[in-house]
Structures are given as C-alpha cells and as structure tokens.
Amino acid sequence: MSNTTNGRLVSLDALRGFVMFWIMSGEHIIHALAKTAPIPVFIWMSSQLHHAEWNGITFYDMIFPVFLFVAGVSMPYSFEKKMQLAGVKTPQELPGNEKRKIYVSMLKRTCILLVLGFVVNGLLRFDGFDQTRFASVLGRIGLAWFLAGILYLNFDFKKQLIWFFGILIGYYVAMKWIPVPDFGAGILTKEGSLEGYIDRLFLPGRLHSTVYDPEGILSTIPAVATALLGVFTGTFLKAKVAFSVEFKLFLMTLTAVLLIIAGLIWDINFPINKHLWTSSFVCFVGGFSILFFVFFYLIIDLFGFRKWAFPLILIGSNSILIYIAAEGLVDFKDTADYVFGGLIHFLPLIWQPVFAALSVTVVQLILLYFLYKRKWFLKI
C-alpha cells in the first residue's frame, strides 16, 4: 500500500518539491559552486540550469513540464473519493450534478492560478496595460490542467489517448503547414512560427520575448498533452489489474523509453523546443517525467525510504506558495543575509557566494517547515 500524507502520494510531493527546488534557489547554489570550484561536474550542472536558447533541451527546460505532469498524475487520486461517494468506478460515470460541482471547482482553481500568474508578472506594480505580461507559468498550469481535467471527466481511456495523439499531430500539422504572413509555413523561428504570430495577434499586454511568449496561446494546447500523460500515469498506477505494482513500474519505464525515442525521432523534423512546446518536446520530456516519477515512487512509496526526501516534501506540499514567494513576493536573499551574513563573512572570500546561496535555501526551508508543522498549505 502506498504511503500518503493528507490523502496525497508522498512521492508526488517529493517530486514536485525536487523540481521546484531548482527554481526557488537550487540553481543559484550550483551556479555559485561552478564559479568557486570549476570542476567538470559543477560546470555541466550549471550549464543544465539554463534554458536552451531555442531548439534543444536542458534539465531546466524539463522543470515546468514535469510539474505539469505531476498535476496530471494527482488528478485520478483527487477524484477517487468523489467516485467512491457516488458509487461509480470511472469519472465518466459521475452524475451530472456532481460533475457540475467539479467543473465549478476546477474553473475557480484555474482562475486563481491565472490571477496569481498576473501577480507574479508584476500586475500590482500598475506599470500600464501595455507593460503587463498576461501569459504566465501558473496560468499555463491552470489552463492545461483544466482542459486535461475536462477530457478526463468526459472520455474513457481510449478516447483520451485519441485526444492525446490528436493534439500532438494537430499541433505539428498547424505549425508546419499553416502559413504565417511574410514568412510562410513551417518557419519555426521566434518571429516566423505560427505560435509567435498568434501571440502577437491575440495576446494582450507585453510578450515575454517581444515577438513571442513561451507561455503563449497556441503552445498551451500541447501542454494539455503533457498533463494528459500524467493523467494516464496516475490512472494506470491506481488501476486494479492482475499484475503487480513492480510490473506496472516496469511497463511505465518501457513506455518512458519509447516516448524518449519517439521525441528524438520527431526532433529530426519538428525540433525539441520548450519555447514552442513542440510535440517532440512533449514526448521527450514526457518520457523523462515518467522516469522521474517511477524513481520517486519506487524509493518512497514502494520501498518506504522517506526521511531523505523530507526537505523535498516540505517544498512540494507548498509548491505554489514558495514559487510565488521566490519569484519576487519575498526577498529571501535579504533575509538570509540579515540572519547569516555575519557568519558567512568569516568564511574564505571565494566560498562566500556558495554559502550565501545555501543560506537562502535554509531560510526558505525554515519557512516551509513552520507552515508544514502547522498544516498551513496554499490549497488552490
């Protein structure tokens, strides 16, 4: 039986915490280490904590889709109690009135994430409509999760698969064959892509990268497929079938490898590109997302080794809150310098940036531990 905390898979919180750690402060620790001790492993790790400039993939490019994948995995578990109370075996069988309640709850969550995304982008600075960025990471999570949830609630597994492949193929066809004025069809550059053109045409306010937005309108559609991969994983894991959990994990690992291979093959014609969230990117990162999840589930939920992951669980159980705080709502660097700055100045000058970065993480974990012990979680 899986270990859970407050009805949640512990491995999901740990994996969510793992990817969020790099955003909230982990990247700065590695960058500082690479400068202080420029050995090959730290230099390589530092290079992986930057987004690929355009085509290609780094570990940093995987953080966002893994987080979205995890949101998809949790969906079958979050609806399980509602299905039990309604006496049905699948979400599609839920009564209409129950589904309407779920739709309202999902829509509320999506709207809150959209607004929080605006806040992270600086909406409350009131710099003017033209200088406000409306696309956001949180907004995409909300929209992709919502649309994947609609599919999950209304279509059985086979039809969900059809939607998944239809989204990937449909996005490929649109990006490759629909012409963009002054550029033509299939020009997958920042200026020439269909995704960038639609952002310039329809996305209000300021675009993140002037001629396109990495969380833009059209590229949110394949992000739904990323969330669906998580839904498939969660559905398969909790399904009551004849074979063991270990064999399920083997099949999941095999599927992950096939997805990675499919992404690499598709990359030849439709490059792996996080900015455009290409279909090859969905496959490639989806495969790694499954591998990450299998590892965390195997170690934490199946083998029961949880203590090592406690800091990650602290982060994962309040991931949205720490993301918003770390993105500018709270000046953790100033707080860490106030608390630990005096001690750090006694260290060798070359190592001070490393421990300054570590002190930020310590302050963040202290805050998260305080919230965790009091069971204060930002639930959206």
Side-chain angles (χ1 to χ4, degrees), residues 14-271:
L15 177 53
R16 192 184 289 111
F18 172 72
V19 294
M20 186 56 66
F21 164 72
W22 301 107
I23 296 175
M24 74 182 207
S25 57
E27 61 176 303
H28 302 297
I29 297 172
I30 299 301
H31 293 325
L33 272 172
K35 290 180 180 178
T36 299
I39 60 176
V41 64
F42 291 152
I43 293 172
W44 175 80
M45 289 176 68
S46 179
S47 71
Q48 287 297 305
L49 291 171
H50 295 283
H51 288 301
E53 187 171 339
W54 191 242
N55 293 334
I57 188 79
T58 66
F59 172 76
Y60 209 59
D61 291 324
M62 297 186 186
I63 290 173
F64 183 6
V66 171
F67 194 92
L68 184 52
F69 169 86
V70 168
V73 175
S74 65
M75 194 176 295
Y77 291 90
S78 64
F79 290 148
E80 185 174 21
K81 187 175 181 180
K82 292 181 174 63
M83 290 188 286
Q84 289 174 347
L85 291 174
V88 299
K89 294 182 178 180
T90 67
Q92 298 82 43
E93 297 172 319
L94 285 168
N97 62 330
E98 187 63 35
K99 278 191 179 181
R100 282 190 290 273
K101 292 178 184 177
I102 295 173
Y103 294 152
V104 171
S105 176
M106 290 171 61
L107 185 59
K108 178 182 176 183
R109 182 177 193 262
T110 299
C111 290
I112 291 173
L113 285 171
L114 283 167
V115 172
L116 289 176
F118 299 158
V119 172
V120 169
N121 286 346
L123 177 67
L124 300 182
R125 288 199 301 262
F126 303 110
D127 291 333
F129 184 85
D130 291 342
Q131 294 303 313
T132 299
R133 180 180 175 230
F134 290 95
S136 68
V137 168
L138 293 178
R140 172 162 291 182
I141 290 172
L143 290 169
W145 175 86
F146 176 79
L147 293 172
I150 296 296
L151 297 176
Y152 175 68
L153 286 168
N154 291 281
F155 297 97
D156 61 26
F157 180 68
K158 289 183 180 179
K159 290 179 181 177
Q160 290 171 28
L161 276 176
I162 292 171
W163 272 102
F164 173 78
F165 288 113
I167 289 169
L168 295 188
I169 295 170
Y171 187 62
Y172 167 76
V173 169
M175 293 289 284
K176 295 289 284 189
W177 293 353
I178 296 178
V180 173
D182 299 325
F183 289 94
I187 307 300
L188 302 178
T189 62
K190 297 176 182 179
E191 301 86 354
S193 71
L194 179 65
E195 200 280 335
Y197 175 68
I198 288 177
D199 286 347
R200 295 193 297 274
L201 208 58
F202 297 110
L203 193 59
R206 176 178 62 85
L207 301 183
H208 178 275
S209 301
T210 308
V211 294
Y212 81 100
D213 198 294
E215 280 76 53
I217 297 171
L218 189 62
S219 58
T220 296
I221 296 174
V224 177
T226 297
L228 278 176
L229 271 176
V231 171
F232 298 157
T233 302
T235 301
F236 179 67
L237 188 61
K238 70 184 289 293
K240 295 179 180 179
V241 290
F243 41 84
S244 66
V245 174
E246 291 81 0
F247 191 64
K248 281 185 180 181
L249 295 178
F250 167 75
L251 291 177
M252 288 163 61
T253 301
L254 180 62
T255 301
V257 172
L258 292 175
L259 279 169
I260 292 169
I261 293 171
L264 290 172
I265 293 172
W266 212 340
D267 174 63
I268 298 170
N269 185 255
F270 196 28

